[in-house]
Amino acid sequence: MKTNIRSNWSHAVLVCKKCSKKLEKKGRGFGPDDKRLSAALKRELGAGKGRKAQVGVIEVPCLDICPKGAVVVIDSRRPRDWRIVSPDAPFADEVEPLR
C-alpha cells in the first residue's frame, strides 16, 4: 500500500462551505457566472479536478468566522492571513493574491 501520493498543486485554497452556501441561497455569487466561490475560483485559477490540477481549491466545513455577506478563504502559502471575500468586490482583484 502506498503511503505517499504526489500532486501537481503549487498550493491549496480553502473556502468556507457554510458561508458559500448562505450566499448561494440568497442568490449572490462570484465571478461572471455568479457561481459559488469554490467553483468560480477553480475556473479562474485553472484549478481543474483532483491532484493533477495546478492549484487545489477545497471547500471545508465552517471556519467559525461567519462574516455577513462574504466568504472566508485561507491560502495555504499564508495560513496566518485569512481573507474575507465579498461578492460585491471586483472578482479579479480578489483572485489575484490567490494565484
Side-chain angles (χ1 to χ4, degrees):
M1 183 168 120
K2 285 187 175 185
T3 57
N4 291 323
I5 299 171
R6 188 174 307 189
S7 79
N8 292 337
W9 294 1
S10 60
H11 62 286
V13 177
L14 309 178
V15 179
C16 180
K17 188 175 192 172
K18 185 176 179 182
C19 294
S20 290
K21 278 188 172 183
K22 280 183 181 179
L23 286 178
E24 184 180 40
K25 285 181 182 179
K26 293 179 181 179
R28 299 180 70 200
F30 296 87
D33 301 334
D34 275 345
K35 296 195 178 247
R36 283 173 64 168
L37 183 57
S38 60
L41 285 174
K42 284 180 184 179
R43 183 174 181 195
E44 190 67 27
L45 296 174
K49 284 181 92 174
R51 62 188 184 91
K52 295 186 179 182
Q54 291 189 4
V55 176
V57 177
I58 311 227
E59 279 190 321
V60 296
C62 185
L63 294 168
D64 293 332
I65 300 295
C66 301
K68 218 171 205 155
V71 179
V72 179
V73 175
I74 304 171
D75 185 347
S76 66
R77 297 172 295 184
R78 293 178 289 283
R80 292 184 61 177
D81 300 323
W82 293 20
R83 299 178 56 81
I84 296 176
V85 180
S86 170
D88 300 332
F91 188 65
D93 295 345
E94 296 292 337
V95 171
E96 194 56 39
L98 300 174
R99 289 194 186 278

Coordinates of all heavy atoms in Angstrom, one line a residue:
M1 N 0.8 -1.2 0.0 CA 0.0 0.0 0.0 C 0.9 1.3 0.0 O 1.9 1.3 0.7 CB -0.9 0.0 1.2 CG -1.8 1.2 1.3 SD -3.0 0.9 2.6 CE -2.7 2.3 3.6
K2 N 0.5 2.2 -0.8 CA 1.3 3.5 -0.9 C 1.0 4.3 0.4 O -0.1 4.4 0.9 CB 0.8 4.3 -2.1 CG 1.3 3.8 -3.4 CD 1.0 4.8 -4.5 CE 1.6 4.4 -5.8 NZ 1.4 5.4 -6.8
T3 N 2.1 5.0 0.8 CA 1.9 5.9 1.9 C 2.0 7.4 1.5 O 1.7 8.2 2.3 CB 2.9 5.6 3.0 OG1 4.2 5.7 2.5 CG2 2.7 4.2 3.6
N4 N 2.6 7.6 0.3 CA 2.7 9.0 -0.2 C 2.1 9.0 -1.6 O 2.3 8.2 -2.4 CB 4.2 9.4 -0.3 CG 4.8 9.6 1.1 OD1 4.1 10.0 2.0 ND2 6.1 9.2 1.2
I5 N 1.4 10.1 -1.8 CA 0.8 10.3 -3.2 C 1.2 11.8 -3.6 O 1.1 12.7 -2.8 CB -0.7 10.2 -3.1 CG1 -1.1 8.8 -2.7 CG2 -1.3 10.5 -4.5 CD1 -2.6 8.6 -2.4
R6 N 1.7 11.9 -4.8 CA 2.1 13.2 -5.3 C 1.0 13.9 -6.0 O 0.1 13.3 -6.6 CB 3.2 12.9 -6.3 CG 3.9 14.2 -6.8 CD 5.1 13.8 -7.7 NE 5.9 12.9 -6.9 CZ 7.1 12.5 -7.3 NH1 7.6 12.9 -8.4 NH2 7.8 11.6 -6.6
S7 N 1.0 15.2 -5.9 CA 0.1 16.1 -6.6 C 0.8 17.2 -7.4 O 2.0 17.4 -7.1 CB -0.9 16.7 -5.7 OG -0.4 17.8 -5.0
N8 N 0.2 17.8 -8.3 CA 0.8 18.9 -9.0 C 0.5 20.3 -8.4 O 0.8 21.3 -9.0 CB 0.3 18.9 -10.5 CG 0.8 17.7 -11.2 OD1 1.8 17.1 -10.9 ND2 0.1 17.3 -12.3
W9 N -0.2 20.3 -7.3 CA -0.6 21.6 -6.6 C 0.6 22.4 -6.2 O 1.5 21.9 -5.6 CB -1.4 21.3 -5.4 CG -2.7 20.7 -5.6 CD1 -3.3 20.2 -6.8 CD2 -3.7 20.3 -4.6 NE1 -4.5 19.7 -6.6 CE2 -4.8 19.7 -5.2 CE3 -3.7 20.5 -3.2 CZ2 -5.9 19.3 -4.5 CZ3 -4.8 20.1 -2.5 CH2 -5.9 19.5 -3.2
S10 N 0.6 23.7 -6.5 CA 1.6 24.6 -6.0 C 1.2 25.0 -4.6 O 2.0 25.3 -3.8 CB 1.7 25.8 -6.9 OG 0.5 26.5 -7.0
H11 N -0.1 25.1 -4.4 CA -0.7 25.5 -3.1 C -2.2 25.1 -3.1 O -2.7 24.7 -4.1 CB -0.5 26.9 -2.7 CG -1.2 27.9 -3.7 ND1 -0.7 28.1 -5.0 CD2 -2.3 28.6 -3.5 CE1 -1.5 29.0 -5.6 NE2 -2.5 29.3 -4.7
A12 N -2.8 25.2 -1.9 CA -4.2 24.9 -1.7 C -4.9 26.2 -1.2 O -4.4 27.0 -0.5 CB -4.4 23.8 -0.8
V13 N -6.2 26.3 -1.7 CA -7.0 27.4 -1.2 C -8.2 26.8 -0.6 O -8.9 26.0 -1.2 CB -7.5 28.3 -2.4 CG1 -8.4 29.4 -2.0 CG2 -6.3 28.9 -3.1
L14 N -8.4 27.1 0.7 CA -9.5 26.6 1.5 C -10.6 27.6 1.5 O -10.4 28.7 1.9 CB -9.1 26.2 2.9 CG -7.8 25.4 3.0 CD1 -7.4 25.2 4.5 CD2 -7.9 24.1 2.3
V15 N -11.8 27.1 1.2 CA -13.0 28.0 1.1 C -14.1 27.5 2.1 O -14.4 26.3 2.1 CB -13.6 28.0 -0.3 CG1 -14.8 28.9 -0.4 CG2 -12.5 28.5 -1.3
C16 N -14.6 28.4 2.9 CA -15.7 28.0 3.8 C -17.0 27.6 3.1 O -17.6 28.4 2.4 CB -16.0 29.1 4.8 SG -17.2 28.7 6.0
K17 N -17.4 26.4 3.3 CA -18.5 25.9 2.6 C -19.8 26.5 3.1 O -20.7 26.8 2.4 CB -18.6 24.3 2.8 CG -19.6 23.6 2.0 CD -19.5 22.1 2.2 CE -20.3 21.4 1.2 NZ -20.0 19.9 1.2
K18 N -19.9 26.7 4.4 CA -21.1 27.2 5.0 C -21.4 28.7 4.5 O -22.5 29.0 4.2 CB -21.0 27.2 6.6 CG -22.2 27.6 7.3 CD -22.0 27.5 8.8 CE -23.3 28.0 9.5 NZ -23.1 27.9 11.0
C19 N -20.3 29.5 4.5 CA -20.5 30.9 4.0 C -21.0 30.9 2.5 O -21.8 31.6 2.2 CB -19.2 31.6 4.1 SG -18.6 31.9 5.8
S20 N -20.4 30.0 1.7 CA -20.7 29.9 0.3 C -22.2 29.5 0.1 O -22.9 30.1 -0.7 CB -19.8 28.9 -0.4 OG -18.5 29.4 -0.5
K21 N -22.6 28.6 0.9 CA -24.0 28.1 0.8 C -25.0 29.2 1.2 O -26.0 29.3 0.6 CB -24.2 26.8 1.6 CG -23.8 25.6 1.0 CD -24.2 24.4 1.8 CE -24.0 23.1 1.1 NZ -24.4 21.9 1.8
K22 N -24.7 29.9 2.2 CA -25.6 31.0 2.7 C -25.7 32.0 1.6 O -26.9 32.5 1.3 CB -25.0 31.7 3.9 CG -25.2 31.0 5.2 CD -24.7 31.9 6.3 CE -24.8 31.2 7.6 NZ -24.3 32.0 8.7
L23 N -24.6 32.4 0.9 CA -24.7 33.4 -0.2 C -25.5 32.8 -1.4 O -26.2 33.5 -2.1 CB -23.3 33.9 -0.6 CG -22.7 34.8 0.4 CD1 -21.3 35.2 -0.1 CD2 -23.5 36.1 0.6
E24 N -25.2 31.5 -1.7 CA -25.9 30.9 -2.8 C -27.4 30.9 -2.6 O -28.2 31.2 -3.5 CB -25.4 29.5 -3.0 CG -26.0 28.8 -4.2 CD -25.4 27.4 -4.3 OE1 -25.3 26.7 -3.3 OE2 -25.2 27.0 -5.4
K25 N -27.9 30.6 -1.4 CA -29.3 30.7 -1.1 C -29.9 32.0 -1.3 O -31.1 32.2 -1.6 CB -29.6 30.2 0.3 CG -29.4 28.7 0.5 CD -29.7 28.3 1.9 CE -29.5 26.8 2.1 NZ -29.7 26.3 3.5
K26 N -29.1 33.1 -1.0 CA -29.6 34.4 -1.2 C -29.5 34.9 -2.7 O -29.8 36.1 -3.0 CB -28.8 35.4 -0.3 CG -29.0 35.2 1.1 CD -28.2 36.1 2.0 CE -28.4 35.8 3.5 NZ -27.6 36.7 4.3
G27 N -28.9 34.1 -3.6 CA -28.8 34.4 -5.0 C -27.6 35.3 -5.3 O -27.6 36.0 -6.3
R28 N -26.6 35.3 -4.4 CA -25.4 36.1 -4.6 C -24.3 35.1 -4.9 O -24.0 34.2 -4.2 CB -25.1 36.9 -3.4 CG -26.2 37.9 -3.1 CD -26.0 38.7 -1.9 NE -24.9 39.7 -2.2 CZ -24.2 40.3 -1.3 NH1 -24.4 40.0 0.0 NH2 -23.3 41.1 -1.6
G29 N -23.5 35.4 -6.0 CA -22.4 34.5 -6.3 C -21.2 35.3 -6.7 O -21.1 36.5 -6.6
F30 N -20.2 34.6 -7.2 CA -18.9 35.2 -7.6 C -18.6 35.0 -9.0 O -19.0 34.0 -9.6 CB -17.8 34.6 -6.7 CG -18.0 34.9 -5.2 CD1 -18.8 34.1 -4.4 CD2 -17.4 35.9 -4.7 CE1 -18.9 34.3 -3.1 CE2 -17.5 36.2 -3.3 CZ -18.3 35.4 -2.5
G31 N -17.8 35.8 -9.6 CA -17.3 35.7 -10.9 C -18.4 36.1 -11.9 O -19.5 36.5 -11.5
P32 N -18.1 36.0 -13.2 CA -19.0 36.4 -14.2 C -20.3 35.6 -14.3 O -21.3 36.0 -14.7 CB -18.2 36.3 -15.5 CG -17.1 35.4 -15.2 CD -16.8 35.5 -13.7
D33 N -20.3 34.3 -13.8 CA -21.4 33.5 -13.8 C -22.2 33.4 -12.5 O -23.2 32.6 -12.4 CB -21.0 32.0 -14.2 CG -20.3 32.0 -15.5 OD1 -20.6 32.9 -16.4 OD2 -19.5 31.1 -15.8
D34 N -21.8 34.2 -11.5 CA -22.5 34.2 -10.2 C -22.5 32.8 -9.6 O -23.6 32.3 -9.2 CB -23.9 34.8 -10.3 CG -23.9 36.3 -10.1 OD1 -22.8 36.8 -9.7 OD2 -24.9 36.9 -10.4
K35 N -21.4 32.1 -9.6 CA -21.3 30.8 -9.0 C -20.8 30.8 -7.6 O -20.4 31.9 -7.0 CB -20.3 29.9 -9.8 CG -20.7 29.7 -11.3 CD -19.9 28.6 -11.9 CE -20.4 28.4 -13.3 NZ -21.0 27.2 -13.5
R36 N -20.8 29.6 -6.9 CA -20.3 29.5 -5.6 C -18.8 29.9 -5.7 O -18.1 29.7 -6.7 CB -20.4 28.1 -5.0 CG -21.8 27.9 -4.5 CD -22.1 26.5 -4.1 NE -21.3 26.1 -3.0 CZ -21.6 25.0 -2.3 NH1 -22.6 24.2 -2.7 NH2 -20.9 24.6 -1.3
L37 N -18.2 30.4 -4.6 CA -16.8 30.9 -4.6 C -15.9 29.8 -5.0 O -15.0 30.0 -5.8 CB -16.4 31.5 -3.3 CG -15.0 32.1 -3.2 CD1 -14.9 33.1 -4.3 CD2 -14.7 32.6 -1.9
S38 N -16.0 28.6 -4.5 CA -15.1 27.5 -4.9 C -15.1 27.2 -6.4 O -14.1 27.0 -7.0 CB -15.4 26.2 -4.1 OG -16.7 25.8 -4.3
A39 N -16.3 27.2 -7.0 CA -16.4 26.9 -8.4 C -15.8 28.1 -9.2 O -15.1 27.8 -10.2 CB -17.9 26.7 -8.8
A40 N -16.1 29.3 -8.8 CA -15.5 30.5 -9.5 C -14.0 30.5 -9.4 O -13.3 30.8 -10.4 CB -16.2 31.7 -8.9
L41 N -13.5 30.1 -8.2 CA -12.0 30.1 -8.1 C -11.4 29.0 -8.9 O -10.3 29.2 -9.6 CB -11.6 29.9 -6.6 CG -11.8 31.1 -5.7 CD1 -11.5 30.7 -4.3 CD2 -10.9 32.2 -6.1
K42 N -12.0 27.9 -9.0 CA -11.5 26.8 -9.8 C -11.4 27.2 -11.2 O -10.4 26.9 -11.9 CB -12.3 25.5 -9.7 CG -12.1 24.8 -8.4 CD -13.0 23.5 -8.3 CE -12.8 22.8 -7.0 NZ -13.7 21.6 -6.9
R43 N -12.4 27.8 -11.7 CA -12.5 28.3 -13.1 C -11.4 29.4 -13.3 O -10.7 29.3 -14.3 CB -13.9 28.8 -13.4 CG -14.0 29.2 -14.8 CD -15.4 29.6 -15.1 NE -15.5 29.9 -16.5 CZ -16.5 30.6 -17.1 NH1 -17.6 30.9 -16.3 NH2 -16.6 30.8 -18.3
E44 N -11.3 30.3 -12.5 CA -10.4 31.5 -12.7 C -9.0 31.1 -12.5 O -8.1 31.6 -13.2 CB -10.8 32.6 -11.7 CG -10.1 33.9 -11.9 CD -10.5 34.6 -13.2 OE1 -11.7 34.4 -13.7 OE2 -9.7 35.3 -13.8
L45 N -8.7 30.2 -11.5 CA -7.3 29.8 -11.3 C -6.9 28.7 -12.2 O -5.7 28.2 -12.1 CB -7.1 29.4 -9.8 CG -7.4 30.5 -8.8 CD1 -7.3 29.9 -7.4 CD2 -6.3 31.6 -8.9
G46 N -7.8 28.1 -13.0 CA -7.4 27.0 -13.8 C -7.1 25.7 -12.9 O -6.3 25.0 -13.3
A47 N -7.9 25.6 -11.9 CA -7.6 24.6 -10.9 C -7.9 23.2 -11.4 O -7.3 22.2 -11.0 CB -8.3 24.8 -9.6
G48 N -8.9 23.0 -12.2 CA -9.2 21.6 -12.7 C -9.7 20.7 -11.6 O -10.1 21.2 -10.5
K49 N -9.6 19.4 -11.8 CA -10.1 18.5 -10.9 C -8.9 17.7 -10.3 O -8.0 17.3 -11.0 CB -11.1 17.5 -11.5 CG -12.4 18.1 -11.8 CD -13.3 17.1 -12.4 CE -14.1 16.3 -11.4 NZ -15.1 15.4 -11.9
G50 N -9.1 17.3 -9.0 CA -8.2 16.4 -8.4 C -6.7 16.8 -8.2 O -6.4 18.0 -8.3
R51 N -5.9 15.9 -8.0 CA -4.5 16.1 -7.7 C -3.6 16.6 -8.9 O -2.5 17.0 -8.7 CB -3.9 14.9 -7.0 CG -3.8 13.7 -7.9 CD -3.4 12.5 -7.0 NE -3.3 11.3 -7.9 CZ -2.1 11.0 -8.5 NH1 -1.1 11.7 -8.3 NH2 -2.1 9.9 -9.3
K52 N -4.1 16.5 -10.1 CA -3.4 16.9 -11.2 C -3.6 18.4 -11.6 O -2.9 18.9 -12.5 CB -3.7 16.0 -12.4 CG -3.3 14.6 -12.2 CD -3.5 13.7 -13.4 CE -3.1 12.3 -13.1 NZ -3.2 11.4 -14.2
A53 N -4.4 19.1 -10.8 CA -4.6 20.5 -11.0 C -3.4 21.3 -10.6 O -2.6 20.7 -9.8 CB -5.8 20.9 -10.3
Q54 N -3.2 22.5 -11.0 CA -2.1 23.3 -10.6 C -2.3 23.9 -9.2 O -1.4 24.1 -8.5 CB -1.8 24.4 -11.6 CG -1.3 23.9 -12.9 CD -0.9 24.9 -13.8 OE1 -0.9 26.1 -13.5 NE2 -0.5 24.6 -15.0
V55 N -3.6 24.2 -8.9 CA -3.9 24.7 -7.5 C -5.1 23.9 -7.0 O -6.0 23.6 -7.7 CB -4.4 26.2 -7.7 CG1 -4.8 26.8 -6.3 CG2 -3.2 27.0 -8.2
G56 N -5.0 23.6 -5.7 CA -6.2 22.9 -5.1 C -7.1 23.9 -4.5 O -6.7 24.7 -3.7
V57 N -8.4 23.8 -4.9 CA -9.4 24.6 -4.2 C -10.3 23.7 -3.5 O -11.0 22.8 -4.1 CB -10.2 25.4 -5.3 CG1 -11.3 26.2 -4.6 CG2 -9.3 26.4 -6.0
I58 N -10.4 23.8 -2.2 CA -11.1 22.8 -1.4 C -12.1 23.5 -0.5 O -11.8 24.5 0.2 CB -10.1 22.1 -0.4 CG1 -9.0 21.6 -1.2 CG2 -10.8 21.1 0.4 CD1 -8.5 20.2 -1.1
E59 N -13.4 23.0 -0.5 CA -14.4 23.5 0.4 C -14.2 22.8 1.7 O -14.1 21.6 1.7 CB -15.8 23.3 -0.2 CG -16.2 24.4 -1.1 CD -17.6 24.3 -1.5 OE1 -18.2 23.2 -1.6 OE2 -18.2 25.4 -1.7
V60 N -14.2 23.6 2.8 CA -14.0 23.0 4.1 C -15.2 23.4 5.0 O -15.9 24.3 4.7 CB -12.7 23.5 4.8 CG1 -11.5 23.0 4.1 CG2 -12.7 25.0 4.9
P61 N -15.5 22.6 6.1 CA -16.6 23.0 6.9 C -16.4 24.4 7.5 O -15.4 25.0 7.4 CB -16.6 21.9 8.0 CG -15.8 20.8 7.5 CD -14.9 21.4 6.5
C62 N -17.4 24.8 8.3 CA -17.4 26.2 8.9 C -16.1 26.5 9.6 O -15.5 25.7 10.3 CB -18.5 26.3 9.9 SG -18.7 27.9 10.6
L63 N -15.6 27.7 9.3 CA -14.3 28.2 9.9 C -14.6 29.1 11.1 O -13.7 29.7 11.6 CB -13.5 28.9 8.8 CG -13.0 28.0 7.7 CD1 -12.4 28.9 6.5 CD2 -11.9 27.1 8.2
D64 N -15.8 29.2 11.5 CA -16.2 29.9 12.7 C -15.9 31.4 12.7 O -15.7 32.0 13.7 CB -15.6 29.3 14.0 CG -16.1 27.9 14.3 OD1 -17.3 27.6 13.9 OD2 -15.4 27.1 14.9
I65 N -15.9 32.0 11.5 CA -15.8 33.5 11.4 C -17.1 34.1 11.0 O -17.6 35.0 11.6 CB -14.7 33.9 10.4 CG1 -13.3 33.3 10.7 CG2 -14.6 35.4 10.2 CD1 -12.7 33.9 12.0
C66 N -17.8 33.5 10.0 CA -19.1 33.9 9.6 C -19.3 35.4 9.3 O -20.1 36.0 10.0 CB -20.2 33.3 10.6 SG -20.1 31.6 10.8
P67 N -18.6 35.9 8.4 CA -18.8 37.3 8.0 C -20.1 37.5 7.3 O -20.6 36.6 6.6 CB -17.6 37.7 7.1 CG -17.3 36.4 6.5 CD -17.6 35.3 7.5
K68 N -20.8 38.6 7.6 CA -22.1 38.8 6.9 C -21.9 39.2 5.5 O -21.2 40.1 5.1 CB -22.8 40.0 7.6 CG -24.2 39.8 7.8 CD -24.8 40.9 8.7 CE -26.1 40.2 9.2 NZ -26.5 40.7 10.4
G69 N -22.5 38.4 4.6 CA -22.5 38.6 3.2 C -21.1 38.4 2.5 O -20.8 39.1 1.5
A70 N -20.3 37.5 3.1 CA -19.0 37.3 2.5 C -18.5 35.8 2.8 O -19.3 35.1 3.5 CB -18.0 38.3 3.0
V71 N -17.4 35.4 2.3 CA -16.9 34.1 2.5 C -15.4 34.2 3.0 O -14.7 35.0 2.5 CB -16.9 33.3 1.1 CG1 -16.4 31.9 1.3 CG2 -18.3 33.2 0.6
V72 N -15.1 33.3 3.9 CA -13.7 33.2 4.4 C -12.9 32.3 3.6 O -13.3 31.2 3.2 CB -13.7 32.7 5.9 CG1 -12.3 32.6 6.4 CG2 -14.6 33.6 6.8
V73 N -11.7 32.7 3.2 CA -10.8 32.0 2.4 C -9.4 31.9 3.0 O -8.9 32.9 3.6 CB -10.6 32.6 1.0 CG1 -9.6 31.9 0.1 CG2 -12.0 32.7 0.3
I74 N -8.7 30.8 3.0 CA -7.4 30.6 3.5 C -6.5 30.1 2.4 O -6.8 29.1 1.7 CB -7.3 29.6 4.7 CG1 -8.3 30.0 5.8 CG2 -5.9 29.5 5.2 CD1 -8.5 29.0 6.8
D75 N -5.4 30.8 2.2 CA -4.3 30.4 1.2 C -3.3 29.7 2.0 O -2.7 30.2 3.0 CB -3.7 31.7 0.6 CG -2.8 31.3 -0.5 OD1 -2.3 30.2 -0.7 OD2 -2.4 32.3 -1.3
S76 N -3.0 28.4 1.6 CA -2.0 27.6 2.3 C -0.6 28.2 2.3 O 0.2 27.8 3.2 CB -2.0 26.2 1.7 OG -1.5 26.2 0.4
R77 N -0.3 29.1 1.5 CA 1.0 29.7 1.5 C 1.1 30.8 2.6 O 2.2 31.1 3.0 CB 1.3 30.4 0.1 CG 1.4 29.4 -1.0 CD 1.5 30.2 -2.3 NE 0.3 30.9 -2.5 CZ 0.0 31.6 -3.6 NH1 0.9 31.7 -4.6 NH2 -1.1 32.3 -3.7
R78 N 0.0 31.3 3.0 CA -0.1 32.3 4.1 C -1.2 31.9 5.1 O -2.2 32.6 5.2 CB -0.3 33.7 3.5 CG 0.8 34.2 2.7 CD 0.6 35.5 2.0 NE -0.4 35.5 1.0 CZ -0.2 35.1 -0.3 NH1 0.9 34.6 -0.6 NH2 -1.2 35.1 -1.2
P79 N -1.0 30.8 5.9 CA -2.1 30.4 6.7 C -2.4 31.3 7.9 O -3.5 31.2 8.4 CB -1.6 29.0 7.3 CG -0.1 29.1 7.1 CD 0.2 30.0 5.9
R80 N -1.6 32.3 8.2 CA -1.9 33.2 9.2 C -2.8 34.4 8.8 O -3.4 35.1 9.6 CB -0.6 33.8 9.8 CG 0.2 32.8 10.5 CD 1.4 33.5 11.1 NE 1.0 34.5 12.1 CZ 1.8 35.2 12.8 NH1 3.0 35.0 12.8 NH2 1.3 36.1 13.7
D81 N -2.9 34.6 7.4 CA -3.7 35.7 6.9 C -4.9 35.1 6.2 O -4.9 34.7 5.0 CB -2.8 36.4 5.8 CG -1.6 37.0 6.5 OD1 -1.7 37.5 7.6 OD2 -0.6 37.1 5.8
W82 N -6.0 35.1 6.9 CA -7.3 34.7 6.3 C -7.9 35.8 5.6 O -7.9 37.0 6.1 CB -8.2 34.2 7.4 CG -7.7 32.9 8.1 CD1 -6.5 32.4 8.2 CD2 -8.5 32.0 8.9 NE1 -6.4 31.3 8.9 CE2 -7.7 31.0 9.4 CE3 -9.9 32.0 9.3 CZ2 -8.1 30.0 10.2 CZ3 -10.3 31.0 10.1 CH2 -9.5 30.0 10.5
R83 N -8.6 35.5 4.5 CA -9.2 36.6 3.7 C -10.7 36.5 3.8 O -11.3 35.4 3.9 CB -8.8 36.4 2.2 CG -7.3 36.6 2.0 CD -7.0 36.4 0.5 NE -7.7 37.3 -0.4 CZ -7.3 38.5 -0.6 NH1 -6.3 39.0 0.0 NH2 -8.0 39.3 -1.4
I84 N -11.4 37.6 3.7 CA -12.8 37.7 3.6 C -13.2 38.2 2.3 O -12.8 39.4 1.9 CB -13.4 38.5 4.8 CG1 -13.1 37.9 6.1 CG2 -14.9 38.7 4.6 CD1 -13.5 38.7 7.3
V85 N -13.8 37.4 1.5 CA -14.1 37.8 0.1 C -15.6 38.1 0.0 O -16.5 37.2 0.3 CB -13.7 36.6 -0.9 CG1 -14.1 36.9 -2.3 CG2 -12.3 36.2 -0.7
S86 N -15.9 39.3 -0.6 CA -17.3 39.7 -0.7 C -17.7 39.6 -2.2 O -16.9 39.9 -3.1 CB -17.4 41.1 -0.2 OG -18.6 41.7 -0.6
P87 N -18.9 39.2 -2.5 CA -19.4 39.2 -3.9 C -19.5 40.6 -4.5 O -19.5 40.7 -5.7 CB -20.7 38.5 -3.8 CG -21.1 38.4 -2.4 CD -19.9 38.7 -1.6
D88 N -19.5 41.6 -3.7 CA -19.6 43.0 -4.2 C -18.2 43.5 -4.7 O -18.2 44.4 -5.5 CB -20.1 43.9 -3.1 CG -21.5 43.5 -2.6 OD1 -22.2 42.9 -3.4 OD2 -21.8 43.8 -1.4
A89 N -17.1 42.9 -4.2 CA -15.8 43.4 -4.6 C -15.5 42.9 -6.0 O -16.0 41.8 -6.4 CB -14.8 42.9 -3.6
P90 N -14.7 43.6 -6.8 CA -14.3 43.1 -8.1 C -13.6 41.7 -8.0 O -12.6 41.6 -7.2 CB -13.3 44.1 -8.6 CG -13.6 45.3 -7.8 CD -14.1 44.9 -6.5
F91 N -14.1 40.7 -8.7 CA -13.7 39.4 -8.5 C -12.2 39.2 -8.9 O -11.4 38.5 -8.3 CB -14.5 38.4 -9.3 CG -14.3 37.0 -9.1 CD1 -14.5 36.4 -7.9 CD2 -13.7 36.2 -10.1 CE1 -14.2 35.1 -7.6 CE2 -13.5 34.8 -9.9 CZ -13.7 34.3 -8.6
A92 N -11.8 39.9 -10.0 CA -10.4 39.8 -10.4 C -9.4 40.2 -9.3 O -8.3 39.7 -9.1 CB -10.2 40.6 -11.7
D93 N -9.8 41.3 -8.6 CA -8.9 41.8 -7.5 C -8.8 40.8 -6.4 O -7.8 40.7 -5.7 CB -9.5 43.1 -7.0 CG -9.4 44.2 -8.0 OD1 -8.7 44.1 -9.1 OD2 -10.0 45.3 -7.8
E94 N -9.9 40.1 -6.1 CA -9.9 39.1 -5.0 C -9.1 37.8 -5.4 O -8.5 37.2 -4.5 CB -11.3 38.7 -4.7 CG -12.2 39.9 -4.1 CD -11.7 40.3 -2.8 OE1 -11.0 39.6 -2.0 OE2 -12.0 41.5 -2.4
V95 N -9.1 37.5 -6.7 CA -8.4 36.3 -7.1 C -6.9 36.5 -7.3 O -6.2 35.5 -7.0 CB -9.0 35.8 -8.5 CG1 -8.2 34.7 -9.1 CG2 -10.5 35.4 -8.3
E96 N -6.5 37.6 -7.6 CA -5.1 37.9 -7.9 C -4.1 37.4 -6.8 O -3.1 36.7 -7.1 CB -4.9 39.3 -8.3 CG -3.5 39.6 -8.9 CD -3.3 38.8 -10.1 OE1 -4.2 38.6 -10.9 OE2 -2.1 38.3 -10.3
P97 N -4.4 37.7 -5.5 CA -3.4 37.3 -4.5 C -3.4 35.7 -4.3 O -2.5 35.2 -3.7 CB -4.0 37.9 -3.2 CG -4.9 39.0 -3.6 CD -5.4 38.6 -5.0
L98 N -4.4 35.0 -4.8 CA -4.5 33.6 -4.7 C -3.8 32.8 -5.8 O -3.7 31.6 -5.7 CB -6.0 33.2 -4.6 CG -6.8 33.8 -3.4 CD1 -8.2 33.4 -3.6 CD2 -6.2 33.3 -2.1
R99 N -3.3 33.5 -6.8 CA -2.7 32.9 -7.9 C -1.4 32.3 -7.5 O -0.7 32.6 -6.7 CB -2.4 33.8 -9.1 CG -3.7 34.2 -9.7 CD -3.4 34.9 -11.1 NE -4.6 35.4 -11.6 CZ -5.5 34.6 -12.3 NH1 -5.2 33.4 -12.5 NH2 -6.6 35.1 -12.8

